[in-house]
Amino acid sequence: MKPSEYLAGSIGFSISEVGAGFMLLLSAIKRAPRAIKQKHLVVEQMQRIGLGSLPLVLVTSVFTGGVAAVQAAYQFENYVPLRYLGMVISKSIVIELGPVLTALVVGGRVGASIAAELGTMKVTEQIEALETLAIDPVRYLVSPRLIAAVMMLPVITVFSDFIAIMGGFAVAYTGLDINTHVYFNSIKVHLTSEDVLSGLIKAFFFGGIIAIMGCYHGMKTRGGAEGVGIATTKAVVSSCLLILITDYILASLLFSAVFAG
Amino acid sequence: MIRIVDLKKNFDDLEVLKGVNLTINRGETVVVIGRSGCGKSVLLRHIIGLMMPDSGKVFVDGLDVTELKEKQLYELRKRFGMLFQGAALFDSLSVLDNVGLGLREHTNLSDEEIRKIACDKLEMVGLGRLDDKKPAELSGGMKKRVGLARAIAMDPPVVLYDEPTTGLDPIMADVINGLIRDLQKRLGITSIAVTHDIKSAYKIGDRLALLYDGKIVFEGTPEETRSTPNELVRQFIEGNAQGPIPIYEE
Ligand SMILES: Nc1ncnc2c1ncn2[C@@H]1O[C@H](COP(=O)(O)OP(=O)(O)OP(=O)(O)O)[C@@H](O)[C@H]1O
Ligand SMILES: [Mg+2]
């Protein structure tokens, strides 16, 4: 095995696959208007992606906020007054930790389930059965998932941001003796709408990545149960990587170009 | 009318179809018989454009399926119904929704009307009250019959059956054979069935065709098939281990 093949195999996609995934994205976008008309399909996916992810995101967010508080307090020591704690925690959560961790957690959960579902449909000929019924699988399966994911990820991220900020507050209040007013005032004064917006823009793109990677790997599953397993792994690994890469690109773009000017 | 012309298909270095020629006239039922693994399902897939050949053509009413754009292909498929060998039911949908999906997607019928049609079709295949069951709760033969109900739900002028009676008990097999015959008689449906159930082939086919070694080596009415001197056909219909057809592929 060539090193490039090994790398492609272990990170879940190669350059040519990025191209194929992108083509799937384009065709799913093209079919989105018709998919939106079939509300029941989109709503069903929104429930599965959104409601289903809330408990998991709740737990991860509480602890993320808590860790952010502990870390910030440690780094502040003797340099920065603790009354800035609320600002630092909320900014790091809203811009970075909230969207990225939510996307990684949801990506693991939702990406895997999409890939497994579509992969099973592929190997049991259900996708071909759709085609023989003259139903375009991209329109029927991919577009609703894409729409649902790009809509739900920002919503879940808002929820996550809120919970994480409260988690940070719990640590600050109980462990660091910072009172309610100080913590929230620092957030109120320093947290800007650009911060929040940048996080939500990221979440929107992350949602797209999760849905497309799940669908792409699911739809090109080969073989039986083993193939479904491989597809699931690839979907999760590739979406996690793409989320981190995209995060960097979006952060550079948003903060150097859009919001700076 | 469906015309298959010199159809060839390889999978890597496995030659499955080596130049299939077959014509199916309007309103006729042609049964393709052949050994397991000889490429019957692959042949059906080419007719409806699920697979593309390496060379050769498939004409449906003069349109070349192998040249159609995606959109035209989907239009064409609305005129087809297909029963898959493994039923291929949508396991997230109830039995009723499986049968009604095509109607839901392609017509403006109300939920009530779709339900009614789906129930009728299920009744035709001998499945009265299954409505809200999921495919996972059904037996193999029941799945097959739901697949059949789904294939005929839109009253398509052409139906492709991949082993319609495999996995059914003899009585139910006869019911399904009768149904296929009946659909053809009453609605003038053109059908292509593939099977290795020779009894069913005699019962439903206007003509039988033997697919052997990637080609159609025999065509004839049931009577002609019964009395043919063709060694390959004789061995197949009599079910002999001895004869010109090798048991193991080389
Ligand atoms: N997608 C595919 N990729 C590779 N090989 C395939 C594929 N589909 C079918 N084949 C091969 O083509 C040959 C014919 O398969 P096909 O499913 O058409 O057989 P069949 O005549 O329908 O058999 P059976 O009666 O058992 O269903 C087999 O050798 C099979 O291994
Ligand atoms: Mg077959």
Side-chain angles (χ1 to χ4, degrees):
Chain A
M1 201 189 273
K2 280 185 274 179
S4 62
E5 283 172 12
Y6 175 74
L7 190 67
S10 60
I11 65 175
F13 59 92
S14 60
I15 298 298
S16 66
E17 282 195 294
V18 172
F22 198 71
M23 294 309 291
L24 180 63
L25 174 66
L26 291 184
S27 68
I29 292 173
K30 212 172 106 195
R31 288 158 178 80
R34 254 205 86 189
I36 290 176
K37 288 205 196 102
Q38 295 184 305
K39 263 187 256 114
H40 66 282
L41 292 177
V42 179
V43 171
E44 189 190 321
Q45 292 305 322
M46 286 172 75
Q47 283 171 348
R48 284 176 57 179
I49 295 172
L51 286 181
S53 297
L54 288 186
L56 192 61
V57 169
L58 176 86
V59 177
T60 44
S61 302
V62 169
F63 286 97
T64 304
V67 169
V70 173
Q71 281 295 314
Y74 170 71
Q75 289 174 26
F76 278 9
E77 220 161 29
N78 303 329
Y79 296 107
V80 184
L82 276 181
R83 65 187 150 83
Y84 290 115
L85 197 69
M87 168 191 96
V88 166
I89 291 175
S90 64
K91 271 188 189 275
S92 60
I93 285 172
V94 164
I95 297 171
E96 184 64 31
L97 294 174
V100 173
L101 286 175
T102 302
L104 292 177
V105 169
V106 174
R109 194 185 151 273
V110 174
S113 102
I114 291 177
E117 185 182 5
L118 268 55
T120 306
M121 289 185 76
K122 178 73 192 299
V123 301
T124 55
E125 299 181 323
Q126 292 177 52
I127 294 197
E128 286 182 322
L130 277 177
E131 291 182 43
T132 60
L133 290 174
I135 298 170
D136 182 346
V138 176
R139 198 249 310 150
Y140 188 78
L141 297 172
V142 181
S143 299
R145 285 168 172 76
L146 178 67
I147 297 166
V150 297
M151 283 169 65
M152 287 318 285
L153 253 277
V155 174
I156 306 171
T157 299
V158 168
F159 171 77
S160 160
D161 288 349
F162 175 76
I163 299 292
I165 288 173
M166 297 313 288
F169 171 67
V171 171
Y173 187 80
T174 54
L176 304 166
D177 273 342
I178 298 171
N179 74 35
T180 317
H181 176 76
V182 171
Y183 184 82
F184 286 105
N185 197 47
S186 137
I187 295 178
K188 208 170 99 191
V189 173
H190 296 286
L191 188 66
T192 64
S193 51
E194 279 90 349
D195 296 338
V196 178
L197 191 60
S198 75
L200 297 187
I201 291 172
K202 285 180 179 179
F204 176 87
F205 281 93
F206 296 162
I209 291 173
I210 292 168
I212 288 299
M213 283 297 113
C215 291
Y216 172 71
H217 287 288
M219 302 251 294
K220 70 178 211 37
T221 304
R222 291 164 145 273
E226 190 189 6
V228 175
I230 293 171
T232 310
T233 311
K234 281 189 170 177
V236 174
V237 173
S238 60
S239 67
C240 287
L241 277 172
L242 280 179
I243 284 167
L244 295 174
I245 295 168
T246 310
D247 183 40
Y248 169 74
I249 297 171
L250 285 177
S252 320
L253 282 177
L254 288 173
F255 290 100
S256 68
V258 184
F259 292 149
Chain B
M1 191 183 75
I2 298 171
R3 201 151 58 88
I4 301 164
V5 183
D6 204 27
L7 197 72
K8 294 188 179 145
K9 178 73 175 178
N10 298 352
F11 294 106
D12 298 325
D13 45 3
L14 176 72
E15 288 182 77
V16 177
L17 303 180
K18 303 182 188 171
V20 171
N21 288 290
L22 186 66
T23 301
I24 299 97
N25 298 311
R26 187 180 293 273
E28 181 187 41
T29 302
V30 170
V31 180
V32 177
I33 54 175
R35 289 192 57 191
S36 181
C38 72
K40 302 184 297 295
S41 300
V42 169
L43 179 62
L44 280 191
R45 287 196 146 84
H46 280 88
I47 297 172
I48 198 167
L50 287 175
M51 277 182 183
M52 286 298 157
D54 297 332
S55 70
K57 305 265 171 220
V58 177
F59 296 99
V60 177
D61 294 337
L63 283 177
D64 182 356
V65 176
T66 60
E67 301 278 329
L68 292 183
K69 300 224 176 56
E70 201 176 287
K71 226 181 177 156
Q72 299 168 304
L73 196 54
Y74 278 115
E75 273 317 304
L76 181 83
R77 283 177 182 151
K78 288 186 190 163
R79 286 161 40 204
F80 277 87
M82 177 158 178
L83 167 63
F84 281 81
Q85 187 167 0
L89 301 181
F90 306 117
D91 46 27
S92 59
L93 300 181
S94 71
V95 164
L96 208 62
D97 289 339
N98 261 281
V99 179
L101 184 64
L103 294 163
R104 196 182 234 263
E105 292 284 322
H106 298 307
T107 68
N108 293 322
L109 297 175
S110 69
D111 286 355
E112 203 42 54
E113 289 164 308
I114 291 174
R115 200 186 153 82
K116 168 123 198 342
I117 295 172
C119 285
D120 284 352
K121 302 292 175 190
L122 282 168
E123 217 132 273
M124 286 169 81
V125 297
L127 296 172
R129 296 178 257 293
L130 281 179
D131 308 9
D132 298 325
K133 282 218 159 65
K134 287 284 172 74
E137 301 166 60
L138 305 182
S139 78
M142 289 159 121
K143 281 184 197 153
K144 195 91 192 201
R145 286 183 281 153
V146 175
L148 181 57
R150 185 177 70 187
I152 60 175
M154 308 266 291
D155 295 324
V158 187
V159 185
L160 311 179
Y161 304 92
D162 198 339
E163 311 209 351
T165 52
T166 312
L168 303 184
D169 64 76
I171 298 167
M172 195 36 86
D174 200 52
V175 172
I176 297 301
N177 287 335
L179 174 70
I180 294 175
R181 202 70 225 161
D182 196 46
L183 285 173
Q184 187 215 3
K185 287 238 173 68
R186 272 194 312 135
L187 307 174
I189 288 180
T190 309
S191 355
I192 305 171
V194 310
T195 186
H196 34 219
D197 177 353
I198 194 75
K199 204 173 147 200
S200 151
Y202 283 144
K203 181 130 201 231
I204 61 178
D206 295 312
R207 279 192 301 134
L208 273 58
L210 177 66
L211 178 62
Y212 173 71
D213 194 28
K215 292 185 176 150
I216 300 291
V217 294
F218 171 86
E219 277 179 68
T221 62
E223 292 70 43
E224 288 165 354
T225 310
R226 277 200 188 88
S227 56
T228 180
N230 185 320
E231 293 276 325
L232 294 166
V233 179
R234 294 232 64 78
Q235 188 189 351
F236 193 84
I237 59 179
E238 285 162 14
N240 289 329
Q242 260 77 45
I245 302 176
I247 298 168
Y248 304 104
E249 278 131 62
E250 60 282 13

